[in-house]
Amino acid sequence: MKLGQRLTQLNDMIPTGYTHIWDCCCDHGLLGAALLSRQASPTIHFVDIVPNLMQQLEDKLQRFYPRQSIPQWHVHCIDVAKLPLSDYPENPLVVIAGVGGDLMIELVNSICLHNPQLHIDFLLCPVHHQYELRQHLIKLECRLIDEKLIEENRRFYEILYIRRDPKLPVNVANDSLTDIDPIGNVIWQASDAAQQDIAMRYLAKTIAHYSRINQSRSGNTSQALKEYQQVNIALK
């Protein structure tokens, strides 16, 4: 099945070289299947908590990707917060998409808490609460590898490709890593007019959202609103 724009972008951002890739909240497993097809990793893990959905997915995987084939795959019907990364500690990438930023905060926090010494890369695509998610990732001392902004079916999505490495001091410079910006940085640097239009409409929608919240209550949203109002969308 052809991937939509969001899953295509996620697929494009995943390089080869990871020993284990965890496709979490995988729904029908479309992203993981694409990773299997292009042999992005020796082992692809499909993770979701819905039993009948995972049984259907396993049946399809057995049909189209026989167990003796390379790469290998595993289906885990578990809570994403309880990923058994310690059983597969070599070079993991955890992909979480299609859930809200509030739930994503809980999941990432739990994964990091249960694997305090493990180097973990995350590819995250929240449905909303992007600002709050970014704030929490900063607190977890994660660093940014890349970020993208896309539009699919009239909805905007931020994609965050990040690294959490307890062995890497936060203040140490690294050519491949930068600090996570609370409102994003690269996503406001458009490569063409079409991407600039997406960024401008997303910014307008985000400012309107925080303006409405700010009118109803005080708090952190005031700071978020100020930061978004200062964004200058550049055309590279």
Side-chain angles (χ1 to χ4, degrees):
M1 187 178 294
K2 184 178 180 180
L3 298 180
Q5 188 173 352
R6 181 174 60 95
L7 293 183
T8 296
Q9 182 64 71
L10 288 169
N11 186 32
D12 290 345
M13 292 177 70
I14 299 174
T16 57
Y18 287 104
T19 308
H20 296 271
I21 299 178
W22 300 77
D23 181 12
C24 302
C25 307
C26 64
D27 197 22
H28 298 290
L30 297 180
L31 176 61
L35 296 172
L36 281 173
S37 295
R38 70 176 177 91
Q39 300 184 0
S41 169
T43 309
I44 308 294
H45 301 264
F46 296 80
V47 186
D48 209 306
I49 202 170
V50 184
N52 62 334
L53 203 62
M54 298 311 287
Q55 184 59 59
Q56 293 173 16
L57 175 58
E58 184 164 7
D59 293 342
K60 290 180 181 178
L61 290 172
Q62 289 177 345
R63 179 180 175 188
F64 294 104
Y65 302 93
R67 283 291 190 181
Q68 64 270 24
S69 65
I70 300 296
Q72 294 290 306
W73 53 265
H74 299 278
V75 172
H76 306 266
C77 186
I78 57 173
D79 185 348
V80 172
K82 300 177 181 178
L83 283 188
L85 295 186
S86 59
D87 295 340
Y88 311 89
E90 308 89 356
N91 197 18
L93 170 66
V94 177
V95 184
I96 309 176
V99 299
D102 48 354
L103 176 57
M104 198 168 286
I105 288 172
E106 295 179 17
L107 297 177
V108 173
N109 192 66
S110 180
I111 292 170
C112 292
L113 183 65
H114 288 95
N115 302 276
Q117 301 304 316
L118 195 60
H119 168 141
I120 309 171
D121 285 358
F122 291 92
L123 188 59
L124 307 174
C125 185
V127 175
H128 45 65
H129 294 161
Q130 291 86 350
Y131 183 83
E132 292 80 3
L133 173 62
R134 285 173 176 271
Q135 292 278 21
H136 197 75
L137 295 175
I138 293 170
K139 291 180 182 179
L140 289 174
E141 299 184 347
C142 296
R143 305 292 297 281
L144 183 72
I145 301 173
D146 196 7
E147 62 183 12
K148 300 288 184 183
L149 173 66
I150 67 165
E151 182 182 18
E152 181 182 54
N153 297 329
R154 300 182 182 179
R155 298 192 70 167
F156 298 98
Y157 297 94
E158 292 183 30
I159 301 177
L160 293 165
Y161 185 17
I162 64 168
R163 174 165 298 162
R164 189 255 189 183
D165 188 353
K167 299 177 183 178
L168 180 66
V170 176
N171 59 351
V172 172
N174 188 303
D175 291 339
S176 63
L177 303 173
T178 59
D179 292 338
I180 296 174
D181 192 293
I183 60 171
N185 186 342
V186 179
I187 61 173
W188 308 119
Q189 301 172 26
S191 58
D192 54 39
Q195 189 62 33
Q196 185 182 37
D197 176 66
I198 291 174
M200 291 178 67
R201 288 187 289 111
Y202 177 57
L203 178 61
K205 182 177 180 180
T206 303
I207 289 175
H209 167 73
Y210 281 106
S211 295
R212 288 192 299 271
I213 295 177
N214 204 45
Q215 291 173 0
S216 61
R217 69 171 188 265
S218 60
N220 292 334
T221 52
S222 298
Q223 181 60 31
L225 180 59
K226 291 178 182 178
E227 293 184 41
Y228 281 113
Q229 287 174 330
Q230 294 172 4
V231 169
N232 179 31
I233 299 175
L235 184 60
K236 293 186 293 184

